[in-house]
Amino acid sequence: MKVHHLRNATMVIEAGNKVILVDPMLGKKGTAGPTFTLFRFKPQRNPIVDLPDNAINLVEQTTHCLITHLHPDHLDKEAENFLLSKQIPIICSINDEATLRKKGLNVSQTVDYWKESHFLGGKIQGIPAVHGYGFIAKPMGKVMGFYIELPNEKSIYLSADTIYTNDVHKALTQLKPEISVVACGTAQLDVFQPLLMRMDDILKYVKNAPNHVIANHLEAVNHCPTKRNQLKDEVEKIGFSEKIFIPQDGESRTY
């Protein structure tokens, strides 16, 4: 399995002859919508960086698309147009099926929480995700992580936009994924608690993950204050530097 980190939560998973695009935000810098914060962090239109040079070539090879939820930094207009024009088969949560179908997108499979189903010769199941601490999680809507096992490949857990919950802990410690992907930007709006894991919970995730960890959702949207160097330093303090991959946009790793 080869995992390419493109930008934010957008990644490409190569597994055999399948090329799986995850949470595509494909628009150019500043085209995905208004700033997510005005006061807490510098107001900037998102995304705040362009896609890396190798991104479009990878995206063009897409055979399937996984979508964890429908926020514009996980599915923007450019991505919708691409998926629509190519009629790419989309795998999503049962909660998002109706909305995606209304857009004319090709939903080929839906996934439910903790229910296993066949996927590309292997299996997939939905893992609950909670998009924020306290009150803010409810208006942020329902999010789904995915645990995937494909033939002759390492198992992978895409935890999606979530805080550390009992469900996340269960996925890490009972399913024992060989690769775990965690959103590390600690996103926060102008008010309320963070929408993603605080640093203490990111470190808890890294400690409890049984194998490799990939960090994403960093330095691409204006409401995510955590920087790659900060995360690298914190992980080094607890002695887990070899366990985590903190990719630059456009970097990839083979597992």
Side-chain angles (χ1 to χ4, degrees), residues 47-205:
I48 59 174
V49 293
D50 273 317
L51 282 167
D53 292 339
N54 62 338
I56 297 305
N57 180 56
L58 285 166
V59 169
E60 288 288 341
Q61 300 174 48
T62 299
T63 61
H64 297 78
C65 180
L66 276 172
I67 297 175
T68 64
H69 64 301
L70 303 183
H71 289 168
D73 59 329
H74 292 255
L75 179 68
D76 64 0
K77 194 62 182 176
E78 190 74 17
E80 288 181 19
N81 292 339
F82 168 75
L83 296 170
L84 185 60
S85 67
K86 302 282 189 179
Q87 279 298 291
I88 300 293
I90 292 171
I91 301 89
C92 67
S93 163
I94 55 169
N95 299 306
D96 296 331
E97 178 184 11
T99 300
L100 292 173
R101 288 195 187 279
K102 284 180 183 177
K103 295 175 181 289
L105 298 176
N106 178 23
V107 177
S108 63
Q109 182 175 350
T110 59
V111 183
D112 203 351
Y113 295 110
W114 292 118
K115 292 185 180 178
E116 192 176 281
S117 55
H118 294 290
F119 177 57
L120 302 180
K123 53 191 178 181
I124 187 171
Q125 62 179 298
I127 310 298
V130 178
H131 200 341
Y133 294 91
F135 167 80
I136 193 60
K138 188 171 183 179
M140 292 303 289
K142 293 187 177 181
V143 181
M144 179 176 284
F146 298 107
Y147 173 75
I148 303 167
E149 293 181 0
L150 297 176
N152 305 310
E153 301 286 358
K154 293 190 182 300
S155 59
I156 186 167
Y157 169 39
L158 310 173
S159 51
D161 280 14
T162 188
I163 60 172
Y164 198 100
T165 65
N166 289 336
D167 288 308
V168 170
H169 187 77
K170 178 180 175 182
L172 292 174
T173 58
Q174 294 187 22
L175 298 178
K176 298 187 182 303
E178 292 168 280
I179 305 167
S180 302
V181 182
V182 57
C184 295
T186 319
Q188 192 167 2
L189 303 177
D190 282 325
V191 292
F192 305 117
Q193 296 188 69
L195 311 176
L196 299 174
M197 294 183 201
R198 300 184 183 98
M199 185 59 71
D200 60 334
D201 277 340
I202 296 171
L203 297 179
K204 182 178 179 181
Y205 185 105

Side-chain angles (χ1 to χ4, degrees), residues 8 41 185-188 196 217-219 221-227:
N8 199 50
F41 308 115
T186 319
Q188 192 167 2
L196 299 174
H217 218 304
L218 290 162
E219 300 183 47
V221 285
N222 84 300
H223 65 321
C224 286
T226 301
K227 306 299 182 187

